Amino acid sequence: MAPARNASLADWLAYLELLHPKTIELGLERVQAVKQALKLNPDFPLITVGGTNGKGSTCAYLEAMLMAAGYRVGCYTSPHLLRYNERVRIAGHEVEDADLCAAFAAIEATRGDISLSYFEFGTLAALWLFARAGVAVAVLEVGLGGRLDAVNAFDPDCAIVTSVDIDHTDYLGTTRELIGYEKAGIFRAGRPAICGDLDAPHSLLQHAASIGAQLDCVGSVFHFVREATVWHFNGRLTHHDLPNPRMPGAYQFNNAACAVAALDALRPQLEVSDAAMHQGLRQAQVAGRFQVVPGPPELILDVAHNPHAAHALAANLQARPCQGKTLALWAMLSDKDIAGVAAAMAGVVDIWLVAGLAVPRGAATEQLTTALAGSVGEVRPCQNITEAWQLACEFARENDRICAFGSFYTVARVLQLHHDFPHG
């Protein structure tokens, strides 16, 4: 039974979780039918962001630069870390519980007997809220894949694929070519498309060409060059002396360049000055993306959950020297490439604090410790993240650092624990 008129956001979210038999069901027919019933046809520009890694950061750069240019921006991302409200922002602010409840109620009253997944319901709710808030532009993060993701029920004015690597193989395929085709499904005929992967799969390039998308690829149509404290972008337009992104990590330059390329491609529909780009680059940040919490000991939080992201995390750790030891608090989902992530991080971890994840699809401690067989680091199995955090706080010395990574669930739980039981 649908929640009552005075239901809380928690009531609605609990209802949505039980509404559809599958947590993930790709396909656009159901969400498109409800979209049409809601008469949800945005009259503002949409920028859709897909990719294996880098989606959330790229959305943050777009949101910050567009806001700095004076636009009222709607931004839809997923998943959230601590509050569902994180997923839907209007003019830089998370939407209120009451607004989300109103959106969910409107969709529930309209959908009839059409079943929607949790993510599909949330996607429609975000666009419903953006339309009623009168946003000037919306930035939408793809949930999974692209071609059959609920976000793709809405036609973007520009679509970005940040990177293509192996992840979600049960849904997208086991090769970069198969995954690249799924990601390229967000491109549209005659409209700008941005690819931030230096080795773009042939399937992505071929699909863009076959539909007539205006594809700009990093390394061919647009380039960027880094210096010590600034970087330079050369593509449809040239931007010199851009400030380094606030978010650390070499890969953030690629994400930022994708955002700049997209905004350049959307001129004159959206005008963003160099000054606004500078301000946005200095301000954009996303929790859980090499998020550094000062110590001592230092705490680093990263949602890296596939080998591509884990290699980037390892490179970031190596580029940030530590006088002491690196303690990894590691928990993952069981359907991820656990062995690949372990191998990517093997050279930068001194002590592994391995935790089971008590969520659907969560990997057991034994599954993770098996992947570390033969590891040069010390391995400490823990029943859960709470125990691992307590051990980390006990073991870590002033010059050490704790790196919590492996999933959004891991980072969210450690953020909560750090708030309740600070280390140091």
Side-chain angles (χ1 to χ4, degrees), residues 78-92:
S78 64
H80 60 276
L81 282 173
L82 302 178
R83 299 172 306 281
Y84 185 91
N85 312 60
E86 297 167 22
R87 297 183 180 222
V88 189
R89 292 190 299 278
I90 296 173

Side-chain angles (χ1 to χ4, degrees), residues 161-164 176 195-201 205 217-224 254 258 308:
V161 173
T162 56
S163 62
V164 180
R176 290 183 76 247
C195 179
D197 197 305
L198 272 171
D199 183 25
L205 302 174
C217 286
V218 68
S220 56
V221 176
F222 68 95
H223 311 260
F224 62 92
N254 205 77
C258 284
H308 185 256

Side-chain angles (χ1 to χ4, degrees), residues 19-38 107 110-121 124 148-150 153:
L19 190 61
H20 194 70
K22 295 183 180 179
T23 304
I24 298 170
E25 182 173 350
L26 298 178
L28 301 180
E29 296 82 5
R30 289 170 296 104
V31 72
Q32 284 177 333
V34 180
K35 170 195 167 190
Q36 291 168 2
L38 285 164
I107 295 162
T110 305
R111 70 177 180 87
D113 60 358
I114 299 172
S115 178
L116 295 173
S117 71
Y118 181 96
F119 182 77
E120 290 166 343
F121 226 104
L124 289 167
L148 298 177
D149 185 82

